[in-house]
Amino acid sequence: MIIDVDGAVDALKHGNLVAIPTETVYGLAGDASNPVAIAKIFSEKGRPSHHPLIVHIAQVENHAWGQTLSTWSRDVPPEAVTLAKHFWPGPLTMILVKSKNVLPQVTGGQDTVGIRCPDHAMTQDILQKTGMGLVAPSANKFGHVSPTMATHVESEFPHLLVVDGGPCAVGIESTIVDLSRVDTIGPVILRLGAISQQDISDVLQRECSSHSVAAPRVPGAMAAHYAPKTPLLLMDKQVSINQDARLANKKIAWVHFGQASGLAHMPVAAGSVEELLPAQAQGVAQLLYSLLRRLDQQNYDLICFECMPEDGDLMWQAIQDRLNRAAIGSGLIS
Ligand code: TXA
Ligand code: MG
């Protein structure tokens, strides 16, 4: 059911869940200090209880981030304040050593907590009016594609309360940077997003590494996480389409970037279609999850993505990352 900001504030104060809009994807929100609300999030999503949640916080006046962050973290490094000043509100989550008032249910028993200040007016209004930190994973069933529109949430959770804040402006999940060990190993990117590794290195004026896949600390880092049911294939420049046996006689949804090329010369079956995404990475990110959801309902044998444009935009890496996971999650490892 769609509700307004005041309805959301009321529901959250009573320990209920509300799906909220953010600039990245919709989140399934509950009071971060209420263990019953947190338990509801895990059961709604079907999410394993050791997977930590991100705490969403309100924007602060005059960039006084140090003080606000110290209510959530017992060790706020100067790098965290610098990044908050620069990127918040915005699509960046920081992992910090948690303070003792953060419930273990929020952090999956870990000694660290993920914090983010989302850039969406309605959700900022909700955060200000409740005065709460809101834990909010993406509002999808565990392992499924994240929602970028209120209707996506409603179709997966028909009984949930949803605040409709329109389509998400960014469209893919926030960048996650781990600052909990910044003094020893420096900043580490755990998940790519609209804010790139380079952006973070530039602002901190120090090198920022990315985590090794061998040691995932986040489900977002699990290979098969964003999974459509239809097999999904990412085309490889090296393979000639006409000789690709994986395509032969299949009913395919063929996704282009910027420009469609026609299916006439392709070895596809009747009923195949072309889909056009923009040529720019930002536009692609906005539409990607909607497209995956729509195509996944249409009984194609295969969803094929052609190679992405190479225009130097680092956001393509985040898109590539999501598509790789979707390909693996769909059962086709290419
Ligand atoms: O853009 C986003 O981040 C969205 C919107 C709703 O804010 N949220 C989101 O939440 O993507 P979720 O739960 O689907 O993904 C959050 C990721 C998970 O992979 C989780 O494991 C990781 O953040 N995470 C949260 N706390 C962590 C911690 N203390 N240490 C390491 N990873 C953490
Ligand atoms: Mg998620």
Side-chain angles (χ1 to χ4, degrees):
M1 187 172 67
I2 300 291
I3 54 167
D4 63 9
V5 163
D6 290 334
V9 170
D10 191 53
L12 289 162
K13 282 186 172 165
H14 285 90
N16 294 315
L17 305 186
V18 179
I20 54 168
T22 82
E23 79 282 30
T24 58
V25 300
Y26 276 75
L28 180 52
D31 176 359
S33 68
N34 182 338
V36 178
I38 298 169
K40 285 185 200 164
I41 293 179
F42 282 96
S43 74
E44 281 289 350
K45 271 190 71 98
R47 176 167 169 143
S49 62
H50 62 278
H51 285 186
L53 302 171
I54 295 173
V55 179
H56 295 67
I57 61 173
Q59 186 166 9
V60 300
E61 301 257 314
N62 305 321
H63 283 298
W65 288 111
Q67 207 183 340
T68 303
L69 284 173
S70 55
T71 63
W72 299 99
S73 169
R74 65 171 188 270
D75 177 17
V76 180
E79 288 84 349
V81 176
T82 304
L83 290 180
K85 280 186 179 158
H86 205 90
F87 293 113
W88 280 358
L92 180 70
T93 297
M94 295 195 256
I95 307 295
L96 303 176
V97 177
K98 81 177 196 72
S99 71
K100 62 176 184 316
N101 19 343
V102 178
L103 293 173
Q105 291 91 329
V106 170
T107 68
Q110 300 192 58
D111 193 33
T112 56
V113 61
I115 314 277
R116 161 166 135 75
C117 176
D119 187 12
H120 193 291
M122 290 171 101
T123 287
Q124 279 297 334
D125 214 7
I126 293 169
L127 287 164
Q128 299 285 356
K129 286 182 170 159
T130 56
M132 293 169 178
L134 293 176
V135 276
S138 53
N140 52 278
K141 297 278 186 194
F142 182 66
H144 196 218
V145 180
S146 294
T148 53
M149 303 206 293
T151 49
H152 296 161
V153 183
E154 287 184 291
S155 67
E156 222 168 335
F157 301 98
H159 56 285
L160 268 189
L161 303 175
V162 184
V163 174
D164 186 351
C168 299
V170 174
I172 59 171
E173 304 82 351
S174 60
T175 304
I176 302 181
V177 60
D178 185 355
L179 296 176
S180 66
R181 296 165 293 170
V182 72
D183 291 341
T184 49
I185 59 169
V188 183
I189 300 282
L190 300 183
R191 181 171 72 185
L192 291 170
I195 294 171
S196 71
Q197 186 169 341
Q198 190 64 49
D199 294 334
I200 291 173
S201 298
D202 289 348
V203 169
L204 294 180
Q205 296 183 311
R206 64 181 291 186
E207 198 152 332
C208 175
S209 56
S210 53
H211 82 290
S212 114
V213 177
R217 301 184 77 213
V218 295
M222 276 175 12
H225 192 56
Y226 303 88
K229 293 178 211 82
T230 314
L232 188 148
L233 198 58
L234 307 181
M235 298 313 292
D236 189 328
K237 262 205 194 113
Q238 271 62 328
V239 182
S240 147
I241 289 170
N242 279 315
Q243 284 159 19
D244 195 329
R246 296 171 301 183
L247 310 179
N249 299 319
K250 297 238 167 66
K251 187 176 141 190
I252 298 177
W254 200 288
V255 185
H256 300 277
F257 299 99
Q259 185 172 26
S261 59
L263 290 172
H265 62 289
M266 300 200 187
V268 297
S272 296
V273 297
E274 286 186 291
E275 290 285 343
L276 192 58
L277 282 175
Q280 270 74 40
Q282 175 53 50
V284 170
Q286 270 173 7
L287 300 174
L288 185 67
Y289 289 159
S290 281
L291 179 70
L292 284 179
R293 280 175 180 263
R294 178 162 60 76
L295 294 181
D296 209 19
Q297 287 162 2
Q298 292 176 4
N299 292 317
Y300 293 105
D301 298 328
L302 204 56
I303 301 170
C304 281
F305 280 82
E306 73 170 18
C307 299
M308 281 165 221
E310 289 170 5
D311 58 8
D313 188 335
L314 296 175
M315 192 150 178
W316 288 115
Q317 293 176 6
I319 294 167
Q320 180 83 48
D321 166 79
R322 302 308 193 276
L323 284 177
N324 284 342
R325 292 178 207 288
I328 295 171
S330 76
L332 266 196
I333 301 167
S334 68

